[in-house]
Amino acid sequence: MTEREVDTSVVVVGAGQAGLSVAYYLRRLGLDPGNEFVLLDRGPGTGGAWQFRWEALRLGYAHKVHDLPGMEELGVSFDTADKSLPAKDVVADYYAQYEQHFGLQVVRPADVTRVEMTEEGFVTTFEGPYGVRAVSSSVLVNATGTWGAPFVPYYPGMNVFEGRHLHTSEYRDAEEFRDQDVVVVGGGTSAIGFLMELEEVARSLTWVARRPIEFLEGENLNIEGGQSAVALQDEAARMGEALPSIVSTTGVPRSRRIQAAIDRGLLLARPMFSAIEPHGIRWSNGATRPADAIIWATGFRPELRHLSPLKLREKSGGISVGKNVSWKNPRLFFAGYGPTASTIGANRAGRAIARQVVATLSSLADERRDPVPEEPIAAIADTAEARFLAD
């Protein structure tokens, strides 16, 4: 089934929740992992972005982690996982079992640096232990998420600050800040988690956010329940605009831990400061606070730098994606982007994208009218679709 002109039919970039979901459904639709589709993952191990999370983070402290499709075959679930263990270890372990069980043959570490168009599709260049390599494919699925593109807004005085700047992606352990004056910037669950971890460690804590924090009832953030947030993400993706913050439109779940922290006065956010000074921060009214460290829990942007040769960027700052497909290139799909960025959204997109990919491969085979292997792509698509309908 693999085309003669290319190394493989499909390249999936990223083996986090979205990438593994796509891979599961591609396999279920009849494509052979490692042959007819290849997964490239930058991380040194399994777990997607979770493998880089800080040690103290536990499952249930932040956004709900939904099970991967088919995970019930392994007899494990994040709903019943040991919540006393670091979340990064639990997710890495479950994902490793998942990849092995379904034989997904993820290539890692494979840092994709460049994707270019060819007449046949794409050439994806990546770096790893064996140097620089390239793989060609008819179709590309980008599932890189956001962890590799941390966002830190600019504020006057940032460059003169004599303390330490660090982003969520760089946070490892609260002990690094013992007896220090710490400022936490951001209005999401990561910022709140840092505050609770640092409460008994730092000398002083100051929480600042650009907008008032809305605390919602419930243990977990239900992104799908926030229909307005999903709609805004979808509209921005279709228009090629920069994607808006999810938390800005959904709020923060009021779990028991968070409610207890609210009750004891820890979670009281101050307005955003106007400037940073060598030893602290200053508000527009002249008030100041000392700071040895500023933790920027200010989110991430989609990691798309490797796609820059494709010239997808719009003047409005984003890329145009509708129903998981690039509007500029119908062979390029996006998993876990915009309205499908949540873990359950990534699962749903994985199924849809896999079907779209197989349909695209079938159309390409028809256009070329090449001799097909033992079982045509179209026949596989039809058979797999019938199997789905029978489930």
Side-chain angles (χ1 to χ4, degrees):
M1 188 172 70
T2 303
E3 296 90 12
R4 292 182 176 85
E5 302 91 341
V6 293
D7 297 322
T8 184
S9 295
V10 187
V11 165
V12 180
V13 184
Q17 179 93 21
L20 292 180
S21 177
V22 171
Y24 169 83
Y25 286 112
L26 287 176
R27 178 182 179 275
R28 190 172 177 185
L29 285 168
L31 275 70
D32 182 26
N35 178 25
E36 293 160 330
F37 72 90
V38 174
L39 278 84
L40 304 176
D41 189 59
R42 182 182 58 187
T46 57
W50 283 92
Q51 66 189 287
F52 305 111
R53 302 278 184 169
W54 54 100
E55 187 73 18
L57 182 63
R58 300 294 187 266
L59 291 173
Y61 280 16
H63 303 174
K64 178 179 175 64
V65 182
H66 289 267
D67 290 345
L68 291 163
M71 188 177 277
E72 65 275 4
E73 291 187 27
L74 283 67
V76 298
S77 171
F78 289 116
D79 290 337
T80 57
D82 188 345
K83 293 181 173 55
S84 68
L85 299 176
K88 65 185 185 72
D89 294 340
V90 176
V91 176
D93 176 37
Y94 283 12
Y95 279 21
Q97 293 184 51
Y98 188 87
E99 291 180 16
Q100 182 177 8
H101 179 81
F102 290 110
L104 298 181
Q105 302 188 44
V106 179
V107 179
R108 66 164 59 88
D111 184 9
V112 174
T113 58
R114 188 175 182 85
V115 176
E116 298 171 280
M117 278 289 298
T118 67
E119 290 184 5
E120 294 79 21
F122 303 91
V123 171
T124 301
T125 302
F126 61 96
E127 298 178 0
Y130 302 102
V132 178
R133 299 290 183 88
V135 58
S136 59
S137 64
S138 297
V139 172
L140 185 82
V141 178
N142 191 77
T144 48
T146 61
W147 188 261
F151 172 69
V152 176
Y154 174 79
Y155 280 88
M158 291 185 74
N159 296 331
V160 302
F161 183 56
E162 296 184 6
R164 179 185 177 190
H165 286 292
L166 73 156
H167 185 267
T168 297
S169 59
E170 302 169 288
Y171 183 95
R172 293 294 177 265
D173 190 271
E175 279 298 322
E176 297 180 25
F177 307 95
R178 180 165 291 281
D179 299 325
Q180 294 185 14
D181 297 310
V182 180
V183 174
V184 178
V185 183
T189 52
S190 293
I192 291 171
F194 297 152
L195 290 163
M196 289 192 282
E197 289 181 27
L198 294 166
E199 185 178 14
E200 301 297 330
V201 176
R203 178 169 52 235
S204 71
L205 278 174
T206 303
W207 184 22
V208 297
R210 290 193 305 163
R211 57 180 62 84
I213 311 302
E214 181 183 3
F215 291 101
L216 307 174
E217 299 302 325
E219 290 286 319
N220 300 107
L221 178 61
N222 179 11
I223 293 179
E224 275 63 38
Q227 294 183 5
S228 61
V230 175
L232 288 173
Q233 290 276 317
D234 186 46
E235 181 180 3
R238 288 174 178 273
M239 298 298 293
E241 299 174 347
L243 300 179
S245 165
I246 286 286
V247 172
S248 66
T249 51
T250 60
V252 175
R254 191 189 295 264
S255 67
R256 285 177 291 182
R257 290 181 69 249
I258 288 178
Q259 184 59 55
I262 294 172
D263 293 341
R264 63 178 181 268
L266 173 66
L267 301 183
L268 182 61
R270 300 187 62 175
M272 197 64 201
F273 50 75
S274 58
I276 302 172
E277 300 183 340
H279 302 288
I281 56 176
R282 179 181 296 274
W283 283 270
S284 57
N285 64 3
T288 61
R289 288 286 289 178
D292 297 302
I294 301 176
I295 301 176
W296 297 89
T298 44
F300 301 80
R301 296 292 184 263
E303 188 174 3
L304 304 172
R305 288 167 293 186
H306 55 290
L307 300 179
S308 59
L310 303 181
K311 302 185 185 304
L312 303 172
R313 188 77 63 180
E314 305 287 357
K315 292 182 179 180
S316 50
I319 59 174
S320 297
V321 177
K323 294 184 178 179
N324 310 311
V325 185
S326 165
W327 285 20
K328 289 188 174 181
N329 190 323
R331 297 194 197 183
L332 175 58
F333 298 85
F334 287 85
Y337 180 84
T340 63
S342 66
T343 58
I344 191 171
N347 284 354
R348 292 170 178 168
R351 179 169 179 158
I353 289 172
R355 289 177 166 177
Q356 291 170 298
V357 165
V358 171
T360 299
L361 294 176
S362 178
S363 296
L364 291 173
D366 289 341
E367 290 173 5
R368 285 190 295 269
R369 296 183 180 179
D370 286 339
V372 292
E374 298 177 1
E375 190 174 8
I377 295 173
I380 290 177
D382 292 342
T383 302
E385 183 68 17
R387 187 189 311 138
F388 268 115
L389 294 174
D391 288 348

